[in-house]
Amino acid sequence: MGMVTESQFHVLAVDDSLFDRKMIERLLQKSSCQVTTVDSGSKALEFLGLRGSNESDDPNAPSSSPVTHQEVEINLIITDYCMPGMTGYDLLKRVKESAAFKSIPVVIMSSENVPARISRCLEEGAEEFFLKPVKLADLTKLKPHMMKTKLKKGSEKPAKEDNAVLKPEIREEEPSVIEILPLHQEVEQEPMLSNNKRKAMEEMISTDRSRPKYNDITTLV
C-alpha cells in the first residue's frame, strides 16, 4: 500500500461567516488539503447528497425520501457551531445518522467556550472542538483523523475480495477398474490335467497287458 499524502485529503468547511470561511480555507490549503466551502448546514447536506431539494431548513423536519448520494470523497467535515437554520450540532447528528457518511470525522468550531456545548458535541461523535480563531497548529490535529478514513477505505477493497465466494473446483474422478481374472482358464486346466493322468494310467495298463508272463518258464543253466 502506497503512502497517503496530505494532498489527497478533501475537507468540507461549513461556516455562515465569509471571513471565517476564507480563513479556514486558507489554513487548510497551507496544509495541502483540497477544500470545499459552503455557508450553511443545509448546503453541506446537499453537497453530500443527504438532503432533498425540497427539504425544509428545519433540522427536525422529516427527510424527503431517498436521495442519491453524490460520488464525492470527503475525508473530514469542519463546521461552525452557531449558524442560522441548522447548527453545527444538527449537522453533526445528520452526518452520524447516515450509513454512507457516519465514518467521516466531524470537527466543530465555535467562538464561545461553553463546556456543556463542547461535551454534547463530543458525545454525539465530534472528533475535536476548536475555539475560534482556529490556528494552523490546531489543524495539525486533523491529520490523524483524516488518515483513518483513507486507511479504512483502502482496507475495504481487499476485504471484499477476500470475502468473495470461491466455487470449489470439481474434478471428475476416473472410474476405478477392477481386473477380474478369467476363472474359466483354471476350470479348463483341471480337465486337461485329469485327462493327462487318465491317459498315462491307460498307457501303463496297456503295457502290462502286452508284456509276456514268464512265471511257468524255468531257466536251465
Side-chain angles (χ1 to χ4, degrees), residues 54-122:
N54 59 344
E55 186 176 346
S56 170
D57 287 337
D58 183 0
N60 297 319
S63 300
S64 56
S65 75
V67 294
T68 304
H69 298 294
Q70 294 186 16
E71 293 296 330
V72 58
E73 180 183 356
I74 295 294
N75 302 113
L76 184 134
I77 298 171
I78 184 166
T79 178
D80 184 27
Y81 183 90
C82 292
M83 294 184 294
M86 178 179 288
T87 67
Y89 176 76
D90 296 328
L91 175 60
L92 168 67
K93 287 183 62 177
R94 289 291 297 272
V95 171
K96 294 304 177 182
E97 289 170 357
S98 165
F101 296 102
K102 65 181 179 181
S103 61
I104 296 179
V106 179
V107 174
I108 307 293
M109 304 176 292
S110 178
S111 57
E112 299 176 1
N113 187 0
V114 182
R117 179 183 297 176
I118 297 172
S119 298
R120 185 170 65 157
C121 291
L122 295 177

Side-chain angles (χ1 to χ4, degrees), residues 136-168:
L136 186 60
D138 294 327
L139 298 185
T140 58
K141 300 177 183 179
L142 303 182
K143 185 177 178 180
H145 302 307
M146 293 187 288
M147 286 288 293
K148 289 179 183 178
T149 61
K150 280 291 182 182
L151 294 175
K152 183 176 180 180
K153 186 172 182 179
S155 63
E156 285 178 354
K157 188 175 181 180
K160 290 179 181 179
E161 292 176 355
D162 292 340
N163 293 333
V165 179
L166 298 177
K167 294 183 179 180

Side-chain angles (χ1 to χ4, degrees), residues 5-220:
T5 60
E6 290 182 350
S7 60
Q8 294 175 292
F9 296 135
H10 186 188
V11 179
L12 175 62
V14 188
D15 203 313
D16 61 316
S17 167
L18 177 60
F19 176 80
D20 289 341
R21 282 201 312 273
K22 291 298 182 180
M23 177 172 288
I24 193 68
E25 180 180 12
R26 189 177 303 111
L27 291 174
L28 287 168
Q29 287 176 345
K30 285 183 179 180
S31 300
S32 302
C33 292
Q34 178 186 351
V35 187
T36 298
T37 60
V38 292
D39 60 4
S40 66
S42 59
K43 288 185 179 179
L45 293 179
E46 287 181 11
F47 179 79
L48 296 172
L50 295 177
R51 179 179 184 271
S53 57
N54 59 344
E55 186 176 346
S56 170
D57 287 337
D58 183 0
N60 297 319
S63 300
S64 56
S65 75
V67 294
T68 304
H69 298 294
Q70 294 186 16
E71 293 296 330
V72 58
E73 180 183 356
I74 295 294
N75 302 113
L76 184 134
I77 298 171
I78 184 166
T79 178
D80 184 27
Y81 183 90
C82 292
M83 294 184 294
M86 178 179 288
T87 67
Y89 176 76
D90 296 328
L91 175 60
L92 168 67
K93 287 183 62 177
R94 289 291 297 272
V95 171
K96 294 304 177 182
E97 289 170 357
S98 165
F101 296 102
K102 65 181 179 181
S103 61
I104 296 179
V106 179
V107 174
I108 307 293
M109 304 176 292
S110 178
S111 57
E112 299 176 1
N113 187 0
V114 182
R117 179 183 297 176
I118 297 172
S119 298
R120 185 170 65 157
C121 291
L122 295 177
E123 288 174 1
E124 191 63 37
E127 301 294 340
E128 302 283 351
F129 195 106
F130 293 153
L131 293 177
K132 292 182 178 181
V134 178
K135 303 175 180 63
L136 186 60
D138 294 327
L139 298 185
T140 58
K141 300 177 183 179
L142 303 182
K143 185 177 178 180
H145 302 307
M146 293 187 288
M147 286 288 293
K148 289 179 183 178
T149 61
K150 280 291 182 182
L151 294 175
K152 183 176 180 180
K153 186 172 182 179
S155 63
E156 285 178 354
K157 188 175 181 180
K160 290 179 181 179
E161 292 176 355
D162 292 340
N163 293 333
V165 179
L166 298 177
K167 294 183 179 180
E169 182 180 356
I170 301 176
R171 296 182 179 180
E172 296 183 358
E173 297 183 356
E174 296 182 357
S176 56
V177 179
I178 301 176
E179 184 178 359
I180 302 176
L181 296 175
L183 298 178
H184 65 278
Q185 292 183 359
E186 297 181 1
V187 177
E188 291 178 354
Q189 288 178 358
E190 289 183 359
M192 290 178 64
L193 293 174
S194 301
N195 292 335
N196 291 337
K197 289 180 180 180
R198 188 179 298 109
K199 186 175 181 181
M201 292 178 66
E202 290 176 353
E203 288 178 353
M204 290 177 63
I205 295 172
S206 63
T207 303
D208 291 340
R209 289 180 178 177
S210 60
R211 184 180 299 168
K213 296 182 180 179
Y214 299 101
N215 294 335
D216 297 337
I217 299 176
T218 302
T219 302
L220 298 177

